[in-house]
């Protein structure tokens, strides 16, 4: 199925929501953009409209990764190189998916799987949690 095609049925309960993990709010912009992009595809928006949203999603993911590495670099987290490699691998996938989108070779299920599983579940909810213990505890009272 091409990206601009609307599936026969799409569960309206599918919705990404940002998470509060420990004291750290993560992924809000990524969740919001994923929702916008997937809604646009499901609603049958034009390929050009979806491309704008896909580009923005890629920018947000890249910015999240950049900011995250800058933050981790200020901590004693011992596995920053592995974390950086995880980011590079995901960004490589983003580039390939973008090219496949341009050639109408990217299915909605693959895009959804990448955003929901690879970026959100596997990376944000799993890999990112590994550095949380090394972050300073925010002062919630002051």
């Amino acid at each position: 199925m091409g990206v601009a095609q609307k599936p026969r049925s799409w569960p309206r309960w599918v919705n990404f929501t940002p998470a509060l993990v420990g004291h750290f709010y993560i992924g809000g912009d990524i969740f919001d953009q994923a929702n916008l992009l997937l809604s646009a595809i499901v609603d049958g928006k034009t390929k050009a409209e979806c491309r704008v949203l896909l580009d923005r999603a890629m920018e947000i993911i890249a910015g999240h990764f950049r900011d995250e590495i800058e933050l981790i670099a200020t901590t004693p987290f011992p596995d920053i190189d592995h974390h950086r490699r995880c980011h590079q691998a995901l960004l490589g996938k983003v580039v390939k998916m973008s090219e496949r989108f341009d050639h109408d070779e990217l299915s909605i299920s693959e895009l959804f799987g990448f955003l929901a599983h690879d970026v959100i579940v596997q990376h944000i909810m799993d890999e990112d949690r590994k550095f949380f213990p090394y972050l300073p505890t925010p002062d919630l009272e002051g």
Side-chain angles (χ1 to χ4, degrees):
M1 175 186 319
V3 187
Q5 296 174 342
K6 187 173 183 173
R8 289 186 192 139
S9 65
W10 188 259
R12 285 295 171 186
W13 53 263
V14 173
N15 190 40
F16 297 123
T17 54
L20 182 64
V21 180
H23 298 302
F24 303 96
Y25 181 77
I26 58 170
D29 289 343
I30 293 172
F31 290 92
D32 292 343
Q33 192 63 31
N35 284 327
L36 287 172
L37 175 58
L38 293 171
S39 292
I41 293 167
V42 169
D43 292 342
K45 299 294 184 188
T46 68
K47 184 174 180 179
E49 291 170 305
C50 292
R51 166 45 91 187
V52 169
L53 295 170
L54 178 60
D55 287 345
R56 182 67 186 130
M58 294 182 329
E59 290 170 13
I60 290 169
I61 291 168
H64 170 86
F65 290 168
R66 181 194 61 243
D67 295 346
E68 191 174 274
I69 290 298
E70 287 177 13
L71 175 65
I72 295 170
T74 67
T75 74
F77 180 61
D79 215 3
I80 191 170
D81 291 332
H82 168 75
H83 204 83
R84 190 176 282 121
R85 286 190 301 275
C86 289
H87 288 175
Q88 291 166 345
L90 286 170
L91 290 173
K93 268 184 140 176
V94 166
V95 169
K96 288 179 183 172
M97 291 180 86
S98 177
E99 292 168 356
R100 293 185 58 227
F101 176 89
D102 290 337
H103 295 98
D104 296 320
E105 298 170 348
L106 182 64
S107 70
I108 189 172
S109 61
E110 186 178 358
L111 178 60
F112 181 81
F114 174 74
L115 292 170
H117 181 262
D118 296 5
V119 175
I120 295 172
V121 172
Q122 212 171 34
H123 186 76
I124 293 177
M125 300 304 292
D126 185 31
E127 283 297 320
D128 284 357
R129 285 180 183 232
K130 293 176 183 176
F131 69 78
F132 285 5
Y134 297 89
L135 295 174
T137 304
D139 179 9
L140 299 177
E141 309 231 345

